[in-house]
């Protein structure tokens, strides 16, 4: 006889959490508007430095949906991963859901549209089986991005390399000395 698994159910606390999450969506909507305006202002300042004579066209943030697996999800690890890459995001909504007979927390993160592909790749490649990223086709998941801390360490190592010794000037056939370089 084959043993069938019991269908996964949300606990009473998770159901109550879902009710609170649904009530908080109104407040999160207001905060998301403020976050979007701040994102636009930062983008405008970067744009204006490079293109002072052109119009700035603000874009709405994109949403990445992440399903964090387990009753006690690893969301702090997810947030630390995003912080390591200096990604600004807004946690728009949460909801306990059941997928493939497993309980998990579904998060919707608002992200600057210019960083969407990078964030999708970071979350997809850094999952280690702790979460799944639902995204659109055509993203850059095959590209491996490095945390800013690693990039900074590599630059420091390059700066700390000993300088090459200066080459001695050589004499030309006509009697003038010159520096080869």
């Amino acid at each position: 006889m084959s043993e069938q698994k019991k269908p996964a159910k949300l606990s009473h606390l998770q159901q109550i959490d879902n009710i609170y999450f649904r009530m908080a969506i109104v407040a999160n909507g207001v905060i998301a508007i403020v976050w979007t305006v701040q994102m636009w202002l930062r983008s405008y300042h970067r744009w204006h430095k490079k293109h002072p004579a052109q119009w700035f066209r603000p874009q709405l943030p994109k949403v990445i949906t992440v399903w964090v697996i387990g009753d006690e999800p690893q969301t702090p690890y997810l947030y630390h991963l995003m912080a390591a890459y200096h990604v600004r995001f807004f946690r728009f909504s949460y909801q306990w859901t059941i997928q493939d007979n497993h309980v998990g927390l579904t998060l919707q993160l608002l992200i600057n549209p210019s960083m969407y592909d990078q964030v999708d790749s970071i979350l997809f490649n850094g999952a280690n089986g702790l979460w799944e990223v639902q995204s659109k086709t055509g993203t850059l998941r095959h590209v491996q991005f490095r945390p800013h801390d690693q990039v900074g360490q590599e630059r420091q190592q390059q700066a700390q390399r000993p300088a090459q010794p200066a080459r001695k000037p050589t004499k030309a056939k006509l009697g003038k000395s010159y520096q080869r370089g």
Side-chain angles (χ1 to χ4, degrees):
M1 293 187 134
S2 64
E3 192 175 308
Q4 292 182 355
K5 282 186 165 182
K6 292 182 181 179
K9 288 185 177 181
L10 296 177
S11 69
H12 291 292
L13 289 175
Q14 290 169 340
Q15 291 174 3
I16 292 171
D17 282 347
N18 279 347
I19 292 169
Y20 286 133
F21 293 153
R22 286 185 196 118
M23 289 189 319
I25 198 78
V26 175
N28 279 351
V30 172
I31 296 169
I33 291 170
V34 172
W35 181 84
T36 303
V37 170
Q38 288 177 345
M39 177 192 69
W40 286 345
L41 289 174
R42 276 190 234 108
S43 297
Y44 169 75
H45 289 299
R46 273 184 267 130
W47 172 268
H48 189 66
K49 286 179 185 177
K50 293 180 183 177
H51 314 281
Q54 295 179 1
W55 283 89
F56 173 71
R57 294 180 199 103
Q59 297 175 331
L60 290 175
K62 287 194 174 185
V63 177
I64 288 187
T65 304
V66 181
W67 185 62
V68 184
I69 301 166
D71 290 340
E72 296 179 18
Q74 300 295 322
T75 52
Y77 178 71
L78 175 98
Y79 299 149
H80 289 296
L81 179 68
M82 299 280 271
Y85 287 89
H86 295 280
V87 174
R88 291 190 176 115
F89 63 96
F90 178 71
R91 300 171 208 105
F92 184 66
S93 71
Y94 300 89
Q95 184 173 3
W96 289 102
T97 57
I98 298 172
Q99 290 183 8
D100 300 329
N101 205 23
H102 295 290
V103 175
L105 187 64
T106 302
L107 306 169
Q108 287 187 330
L109 306 174
L110 296 182
I111 296 176
N112 190 338
S114 64
M115 295 187 73
Y116 179 79
D117 288 330
Q118 179 182 2
V119 172
D120 182 66
S121 175
I122 291 167
L123 291 177
F124 180 77
N125 294 320
N128 297 331
L130 299 175
W131 59 78
E132 295 175 5
V133 181
Q134 302 168 359
S135 72
K136 300 173 186 172
T137 57
T139 60
L140 298 175
R141 288 187 169 179
H142 60 279
V143 178
Q144 294 284 331
F145 292 95
R146 294 176 296 167
H148 287 281
D149 297 339
Q150 276 185 345
V151 174
Q153 289 173 359
E154 290 172 6
R155 287 184 184 154
Q156 285 178 354
Q157 289 172 356
Q158 289 175 354
Q160 292 174 355
R161 290 184 186 158
Q164 297 285 337
R167 296 184 182 179
K168 295 181 181 180
T170 56
K171 273 222 162 175
K173 293 181 182 177
L174 300 175
K176 294 182 182 177
S177 63
Y178 65 94
Q179 184 77 23
R180 281 175 43 189

